[in-house]
Amino acid sequence: MSSLLINVIIYNAVVLIVLFLMLIKNPRYMMQDYPKEILKGIPQKTKKEKHEAMIFGVPFIIIIILFPLAVGIYGKFILDYGLIENWLRILVIMFSFNVVDLLIVDWLIFCLITPKFIVLPGTEGHAGYKNYMFHLYAFFKGTVMISIVSIIFALIIEGTALIF
């Protein structure tokens, strides 16, 4: 099995575990990512919820950012990858979660199955949980962001390699 495929599997598994732990603990931690029509009439996060969301959210963001960056650093300094190969590896890893997020998390679990642990209190049965287009639009926004971030990571790593 290729190292890239292993990296993709590990990355997605770890990110999904942290994401689902957040949702199971309290779906309100992720309510900023819910369709706006679901959020109408729902109170904002409390101070306690904001604090707790940070406890989960910071590791989530760190994993999403540092894992592909670490793969890129390893690729450059250990495997001697060039800029383009390193950028493509970082892009594939980050894009893989974008695809998993759309197909498994958003469309399958959020829209199709809609388990109780993702439903915000007071929104049970809301039609917004079946808004597939909302998630497709978020996927496209994520694709643009990932494309930009991955090239920035590759350029930073390449620039760092020139210094050392």
Side-chain angles (χ1 to χ4, degrees), residues 93-104:
I93 290 168
M94 295 179 84
F95 186 71
S96 72
F97 182 70
N98 201 30
V99 171
V100 166
D101 185 50
L102 175 68
L103 297 178
I104 296 173

Side-chain angles (χ1 to χ4, degrees), residues 102-123:
L102 175 68
L103 297 178
I104 296 173
V105 177
D106 294 341
W107 283 0
L108 178 65
I109 296 173
F110 192 92
C111 292
L112 186 64
I113 300 171
T114 320
K116 290 181 181 181
F117 73 86
I118 65 153
V119 176
L120 297 171
T123 65

Side-chain angles (χ1 to χ4, degrees), residues 24-113:
I24 290 167
K25 173 76 173 150
N26 186 346
R28 290 177 50 84
Y29 296 163
M30 296 296 295
M31 64 190 262
Q32 71 279 356
D33 294 333
Y34 281 51
K36 300 298 177 226
E37 66 264 24
I38 293 174
L39 300 177
K40 288 182 182 167
I42 299 296
Q44 295 291 321
K45 291 178 194 169
T46 65
K47 286 186 179 188
K48 180 182 177 192
E49 286 173 329
K50 287 178 184 177
H51 176 72
E52 291 172 351
M54 290 294 292
I55 291 170
F56 283 99
V58 168
F60 182 74
I61 297 300
I62 288 171
I63 293 164
I64 284 181
I65 292 171
L66 287 186
F67 189 95
L69 193 56
V71 167
I73 291 167
Y74 182 81
K76 182 65 185 175
F77 291 99
I78 305 301
L79 303 175
D80 200 28
Y81 291 151
L83 174 66
I84 301 301
E85 186 173 5
N86 221 14
W87 165 64
L88 288 173
R89 293 177 73 79
I90 294 168
L91 178 65
V92 166
I93 290 168
M94 295 179 84
F95 186 71
S96 72
F97 182 70
N98 201 30
V99 171
V100 166
D101 185 50
L102 175 68
L103 297 178
I104 296 173
V105 177
D106 294 341
W107 283 0
L108 178 65
I109 296 173
F110 192 92
C111 292
L112 186 64
I113 300 171

